[in-house]
Amino acid sequence: MLNIVLFEPEIPQNTGNIARTCAVTGTRLHLIKPLGFDISDKAVKRAGLDYWHLVDVRVYENLDDFFQKTGAEDIWLATTKAPRSYTEAVFRDECYLVFGKETAGLPEAFRRAHADRCIRIPIRAEARCLNLSNAAAILTYEALRQLDFPGLTGEGAMKGEAL
């Protein structure tokens, strides 16, 4: 199982979209506080997130709490400041894909401490960054592709029909 980690996410729609990606892929979602929104059952129902029950969501007080409780070692940090493309990463089962908050990304000290694990999605030089939920989907599906899409179906209802 893959793991998506959101460090201090601020925009509920991004987290909702990422949660849907987690729901359809069986990926675990880790949220590191503070959160810019409410994820109580009442708030989730009000937002119409009918897939939330399919998501394994875990919440942590801070980065130290996250590492203490998960023991995560195989981490990949998604950052526009990374020196290499995500296509150079070798993703393994149970790895953690870590994303920073929308307005500031990941803390510099954290990035520097894990510089060899920083990857980026190539974008135009004059563009600031890609939307967080899009970036999470790209990296999640690349990791799943490398793992041969474990537990996911690659066939749709049209299988077997003459095309």
Side-chain angles (χ1 to χ4, degrees):
M1 175 180 286
L2 292 178
N3 297 275
I4 292 179
V5 181
L6 302 182
F7 174 78
E8 300 182 1
E10 300 167 312
I11 301 174
Q13 294 86 345
N14 282 336
T15 301
N17 288 338
I18 292 166
R20 182 174 290 268
T21 296
C22 290
V24 302
T25 62
T27 301
R28 196 175 293 123
L29 179 59
H30 303 264
L31 303 175
I32 300 174
K33 292 181 178 179
L35 308 179
F37 45 84
D38 180 9
I39 59 166
S40 67
D41 286 339
K42 183 178 179 181
V44 167
K45 286 177 184 169
R46 186 172 48 243
L49 302 179
D50 61 343
Y51 52 85
W52 197 257
H53 68 283
L54 296 174
V55 184
D56 181 356
V57 181
R58 300 175 186 193
V59 181
Y60 308 90
E61 293 302 315
N62 52 46
L63 272 173
D64 289 337
D65 185 39
F66 165 75
F67 281 108
Q68 185 177 50
K69 289 179 177 170
T70 65
E73 292 181 8
D74 190 5
I75 62 173
W76 292 98
L77 283 60
T79 173
T80 59
K81 294 162 181 65
R84 64 183 174 148
S85 170
Y86 74 95
T87 59
E88 297 177 44
V90 177
F91 299 108
R92 293 184 179 85
D93 188 32
E94 292 295 330
C95 71
Y96 292 80
L97 308 175
V98 184
F99 300 86
K101 62 179 160 182
E102 291 91 338
T103 58
L106 293 166
E108 182 178 359
F110 181 60
R111 288 193 326 266
R112 292 201 182 282
H114 302 282
D116 62 324
R117 304 299 278 187
C118 289
I119 54 176
R120 65 180 279 120
I121 297 170
I123 58 173
R124 295 170 58 172
E126 60 272 15
R128 186 172 49 91
C129 64
L130 191 62
N131 173 273
L132 178 62
S133 61
N134 292 334
I138 289 168
L139 293 187
T140 299
Y141 271 91
E142 173 58 19
L144 290 168
R145 184 194 66 78
Q146 288 184 20
L147 297 169
D148 200 27
F149 300 103
L152 304 180
T153 180
E155 302 168 347
M158 294 174 60
K159 182 183 180 193
E161 292 180 15
L163 301 177

